[in-house]
Amino acid sequence: MTESAITNYIFIRMNFTEKDYGYMAAALKLAEKAKGTTFPNPAVGAVIVANNVIVGTGKTSEYGGPHAERNALKKAGELAKNATLYVTLEPCDHFGKTPPCTDAIIASGITRVFVSMKDPNPLVSGRGIRRLRNRGIAVHTGLLRREAAALNEDFVWWITAKKPWIALKLALTLDGRIADEWGASRWITSPASRRFVHTLRSRHCAVAVGAVTLCRDDPRLSVRHGGGVDPVRIVFSSNHRLSAKSYFMRNARATRSIIVSAGGKKPFKEHFANGLELWHTGQREMDKSLRSFLRMAYDEGLSSILIEGGGKLASSFMENRCVNRVYLFYGNKLLGNGVQGFSFEKGLRLSRAAALREPIVRTFGDDIMVTGIPVWR
């Protein structure tokens, strides 16, 4: 690092006081509360401070509603004049479903703005910061940037890679089984783990399972613990024939419900009177079919999808390198035999094994959860 770079780094760090960290942490908590309700928009929090007192707070509304900054400014009212705004993502400077937030900030009389991270959206990406600075507002960036980026890792991927963020969740025994020899899988993990899975569902735009899992477990794929909006439900089925008695089929109108089937001469979608959608990927080979599905999902605005099993579907997504993050829940059980969690068509040499970047380990009762970003050697 050069001397000028060191000087610049020190200057940036000196701009952030203990109070600055506290106010931005409060903004991040607001963003956390919005997570799962704003798709396909990111979850953002904003705090307005005047004379060391918080005078306005806001989080992103549901899609089409006001952004966090405008909600905070509305609460602050006249107290926003000469105040400081802390916001977890760069304010927008373009017309979308709502007018630019930069216009509202400038009109309010805000004099300083702290931004955790730049918006990766090409429509914004620095424009909002430049606009505010050009109007004489002091803008400081980078405060709790890593935390803000982690909160919206799915949005960043969706907007830059133009693909849905794919998270994979599996419940396994300590020896890597997702069911016993007779197919029983309830329950490998504890109630505490299962409650957290509902939190994961609430933080993703859609949740998906394979047809075998649907027939065996008849899951609701809904959010029943901790509140939140039910995600879009997706079932992968080779012949798109599912039991009419399943919860998924009987409640197709309750939440957007999609069956994904490989094959067809080209990708196309069918809509039925009962609310069900049937997506044909137009590809029979698994790798091509998955990638076709990802393009279709992106076009539909499904920005993040949680894959919940079973083993065949999980292995296909993982082996074809379509997974952005895994959540592996290990119940405190050993079976010695049963249904394997991961089984690739082509095994990997130990020297080429996949690994997890930035792994995090948590416990839920006697269960162990490992989460991280898959990387391939």
Side-chain angles (χ1 to χ4, degrees):
M1 184 180 289
T2 65
E3 183 177 349
S4 60
I6 293 173
T7 302
N8 186 49
Y9 175 79
I10 293 173
F11 174 76
I12 292 173
R13 296 295 296 177
M14 288 177 65
N15 276 333
F16 301 150
T17 67
E18 186 176 344
K19 288 184 177 180
D20 290 331
Y21 279 100
Y23 293 135
M24 190 61 84
L28 279 169
K29 286 184 179 179
L30 290 166
E32 283 272 4
K33 291 180 179 179
K35 189 69 178 178
T37 66
T38 65
F39 300 123
N41 284 341
V44 181
V47 169
I48 297 173
V49 178
N51 298 318
N52 294 319
V53 176
I54 295 177
V55 296
T57 60
K59 56 186 176 67
T60 312
S61 304
E62 292 183 14
Y63 183 60
H67 291 183
E69 301 93 321
R70 286 184 175 271
N71 286 329
L73 287 168
K74 183 178 180 180
K75 289 185 180 179
E78 294 297 321
L79 296 176
K81 189 172 184 180
N82 297 319
T84 299
L85 167 67
Y86 296 84
V87 62
T88 58
L89 187 69
E90 176 183 6
C92 65
D93 189 46
H94 66 287
F95 282 88
K97 292 287 184 179
T98 59
C101 288
T102 51
D103 288 349
I105 294 169
I106 293 167
S108 72
I110 290 279
T111 57
R112 285 198 312 164
V113 176
F114 287 81
V115 176
S116 284
M117 62 176 287
K118 289 184 179 180
D119 192 330
N121 189 339
L123 293 175
V124 186
S125 194
R127 280 182 48 183
I129 292 171
R130 287 194 297 273
R131 174 88 186 287
L132 296 177
R133 284 174 173 165
N134 288 341
R135 295 301 296 266
I137 297 174
V139 181
H140 308 271
T141 63
L143 178 57
L144 296 183
R145 180 188 61 79
R146 290 188 64 178
E147 291 81 355
L151 177 65
N152 280 309
E153 60 184 0
D154 52 343
F155 170 76
V156 173
W157 173 261
W158 181 71
I159 205 73
T160 56
K162 299 189 182 304
K163 298 177 185 177
W165 170 270
I166 302 297
L168 171 63
K169 168 262 169 183
L170 280 183
L172 307 107
T173 60
L174 292 175
D175 50 349
R177 312 292 175 170
I178 59 173
D180 63 22
E181 287 186 77
W182 299 269
S185 59
R186 292 186 173 180
W187 296 100
I188 289 176
T189 54
S190 67
S193 292
R194 299 198 294 273
R195 283 193 295 271
F196 184 72
V197 170
H198 283 259
T199 299
L200 289 179
R201 288 179 183 174
S202 73
R203 293 167 66 95
H204 289 81
C205 188
V207 58
V209 296
V212 173
T213 298
L214 186 84
C215 293
R216 184 187 65 212
D217 297 338
D218 194 22
R220 295 187 183 185
L221 307 179
S222 60
V223 178
R224 301 186 299 281
H225 301 289
V229 179
D230 283 344
V232 175
R233 294 178 293 203
I234 301 174
V235 175
F236 287 81
S237 175
S238 58
N239 59 16
H240 56 78
R241 293 174 185 170
L242 303 175
S243 171
K245 296 181 180 180
S246 67
Y247 183 91
F248 176 84
M249 295 294 284
R250 288 186 292 106
N251 294 272
R253 289 187 181 279
T255 302
R256 188 177 182 187
S257 301
I258 302 166
I259 299 175
V260 179
S261 179
K265 294 182 179 180
K266 62 179 182 179
F268 70 97
K269 301 165 186 172
E270 296 182 85
H271 297 261
F272 297 93
N274 65 350
L276 196 66
E277 299 176 35
L278 178 57
W279 292 11
H280 302 268
T281 65
Q283 300 287 343
R284 292 199 175 277
E285 295 178 27
M286 181 57 74
D287 58 337
K288 294 179 180 178
S289 183
L290 288 180
R291 284 172 173 76
S292 176
F293 162 72
L294 293 179
R295 288 191 294 270
M296 297 171 79
Y298 174 81
D299 291 340
E300 290 287 331
L302 301 183
S303 55
S304 61
I305 302 171
L306 178 65
I307 308 295
E308 286 205 35
K312 183 177 179 181
L313 184 66
S315 298
S316 295
F317 267 90
M318 182 66 84
E319 185 175 15
N320 287 289
R321 306 187 183 190
C322 296
V323 177
N324 299 97
R325 177 175 288 280
V326 298
Y327 295 91
L328 304 178
F329 291 81
Y330 290 93
N332 193 10
K333 297 176 176 70
L334 284 165
L335 294 178
N337 206 337
V339 181
Q340 191 72 32
F342 288 107
S343 181
F344 297 163
E345 288 189 10
K346 297 179 180 179
L348 301 172
R349 292 182 180 275
L350 188 59
S351 60
R352 305 285 292 177
L356 296 184
R357 188 176 78 236
E358 300 175 4
I360 298 172
V361 178
R362 290 182 60 179
T363 57
F364 295 91
D366 290 335
D367 299 343
I368 301 169
M369 184 197 77
V370 180
T371 182
I373 298 171
V375 291
W376 302 83
R377 297 171 184 171

